[in-house]
């Protein structure tokens, strides 16, 4: 298990600017960000070790990052072919289209449609997840009121292709990647409030178990990189 000292050094306002747009493909990310984690999982799954990953400080961003790389200032962002693209879901689609490795997009028409709906639903999921995180000293009953709709939605989605496998579309896909960082953090945060997101949701429990067999994901987990304490501190400060 990683320790606090194993976290990558964050590039901040004192960091020198790398040689930008020189043909090197780079991912700019923040290790504790669930959005960044989505993209890191995708890179791992597709075996894209050649992509340089630069950890960016969000509290003390490098001036060159905002001025020369990505004026929006957010992470993750991908520098590729002289351009920079952002937004985690857009990057999952872009990486799957532009790079080699295992396909993350379903080929069956019904699964393509299901994937599109579930990727769109993620914003609703995250909205409720953030609301619950902001409920300090919330009772399990109050958390259930806020979280039950989104976790029940996933439980129902998992039933649709359960005969094909434990993942959301039966087989592992970018839909699993899009959701797992948020569910990982939900497990950590809400268990401290005695709320079990898997209670009464056997398909979700089986999915979490299956996700923990995917090396591309487990190597990015907060526990693995020694960052659980950072995430808990972020939640406490909300």
């Amino acid at each position: 298990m990683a320790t606090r000292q194993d976290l990558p050094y964050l590039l901040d306002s004192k960091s020198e600017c790398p040689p930008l747009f020189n043909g090197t493909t780079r991912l700019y990310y923040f290790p504790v960000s669930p959005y960044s984690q989505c993209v890191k999982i995708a890179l791992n799954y597709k075996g894209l070790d050649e992509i340089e990953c630069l950890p960016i400080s969000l509290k003390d961003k490098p001036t060159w990052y905002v001025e020369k790389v990505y004026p929006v200032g957010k992470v993750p962002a991908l520098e590729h072919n002289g351009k920079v693209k952002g937004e985690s879901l857009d990057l999952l689609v872009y990486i799957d289209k532009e790079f080699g490795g295992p396909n993350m997009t379903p080929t069956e028409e019904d699964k393509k449609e299901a994937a599109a709906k579930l990727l769109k639903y993620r914003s609703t999921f995250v909205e409720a997840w953030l609301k619950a995180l902001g409920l300090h000293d919330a009772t399990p009953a109050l958390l259930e009121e806020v979280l039950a709709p989104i976790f029940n939605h996933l439980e129902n989605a998992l039933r649709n292709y359960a005969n094909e496998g434990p993942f959301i579309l039966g087989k592992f896909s970018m839909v699993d990647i899009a959701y797992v960082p948020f569910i990982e953090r939900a497990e950590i945060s809400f268990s401290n409030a005695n709320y079990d997101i898997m209670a009464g949701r056997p398909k979700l429990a089986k999915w979490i178990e299956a996700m923990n067999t995917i090396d591309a994901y487990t190597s990015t987990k907060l526990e693995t990189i020694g960052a659980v304490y950072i995430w808990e501190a972020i939640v406490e400060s909300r």
Side-chain angles (χ1 to χ4, degrees):
M1 183 183 299
T3 65
R4 297 186 183 197
Q5 287 72 31
D6 294 322
L7 284 172
Y9 173 76
L10 300 178
L11 300 177
D12 58 20
S13 61
K14 305 179 195 64
S15 302
E16 291 187 9
C17 180
L20 303 172
F21 306 108
N22 64 343
T24 300
T25 300
R26 297 183 178 90
L27 173 69
Y28 300 92
Y29 75 107
F30 179 61
V32 186
S33 159
Y35 302 98
S36 292
Q37 187 181 1
C38 287
V39 181
K40 288 280 286 183
I41 296 168
L43 298 186
N44 291 343
Y45 184 67
K46 293 180 79 70
L48 301 175
D49 297 334
E50 70 274 16
I51 293 180
E52 183 180 5
C53 296
L54 299 182
I56 300 294
S57 170
L58 298 184
K59 285 189 175 181
D60 186 23
K61 294 175 187 173
T63 303
W64 53 262
Y65 181 68
V66 178
E67 292 182 351
K68 300 179 180 181
V69 178
Y70 197 42
V72 176
K74 295 181 179 180
V75 293
L78 187 73
E79 175 188 337
H80 180 236
N81 286 344
K83 298 180 180 180
V84 176
K85 299 180 181 295
E87 301 299 330
S88 61
L89 293 183
D90 292 341
L91 288 176
L92 292 182
V93 174
Y94 181 83
I95 289 167
D96 206 29
K97 180 180 177 181
E98 297 293 327
F99 296 90
N103 192 10
M104 301 186 297
T105 306
T107 55
E108 303 93 328
E109 289 303 319
D110 62 320
K111 290 186 179 181
K112 286 182 181 179
E113 182 178 350
K117 290 179 179 178
L118 285 163
L119 291 175
K120 183 178 181 180
Y121 183 77
R122 197 188 72 167
S123 61
T124 300
F125 185 96
V126 171
E127 183 180 357
W129 173 78
L130 288 172
K131 180 180 179 180
L133 287 178
L135 297 173
H136 294 291
D137 300 320
T139 63
L142 179 56
L143 288 174
E144 175 71 1
E145 180 181 334
V146 175
L147 295 171
I150 60 170
F151 283 113
N152 290 344
H153 187 91
L154 278 188
E155 179 73 12
N156 291 332
L158 283 159
R159 290 175 181 154
N160 292 333
Y161 296 99
N163 62 324
E164 298 182 31
F167 300 104
I168 297 176
L169 298 178
K171 298 178 181 178
F172 184 75
S173 73
M174 71 169 62
V175 178
D176 301 291
I177 295 173
Y179 278 92
V180 71
F182 300 94
I183 293 175
E184 175 190 341
R185 285 156 179 77
E187 277 197 280
I188 294 169
S189 300
F190 303 135
S191 64
N192 293 335
N194 296 316
Y195 179 76
D196 183 1
I197 65 172
M198 293 180 283
R201 302 181 182 104
K203 299 299 183 187
L204 179 62
K206 189 174 181 180
W207 177 80
I208 291 173
E209 182 181 356
M211 286 302 303
N212 282 318
T213 68
I214 302 294
D215 291 340
Y217 161 59
T218 57
S219 63
T220 70
K221 291 180 69 173
L222 295 176
E223 180 183 28
T224 304
I225 67 172
V228 171
Y229 75 100
I230 296 179
W231 172 250
E232 290 177 335
I234 291 172
V235 173
E236 280 297 316
S237 67
R238 286 178 57 82

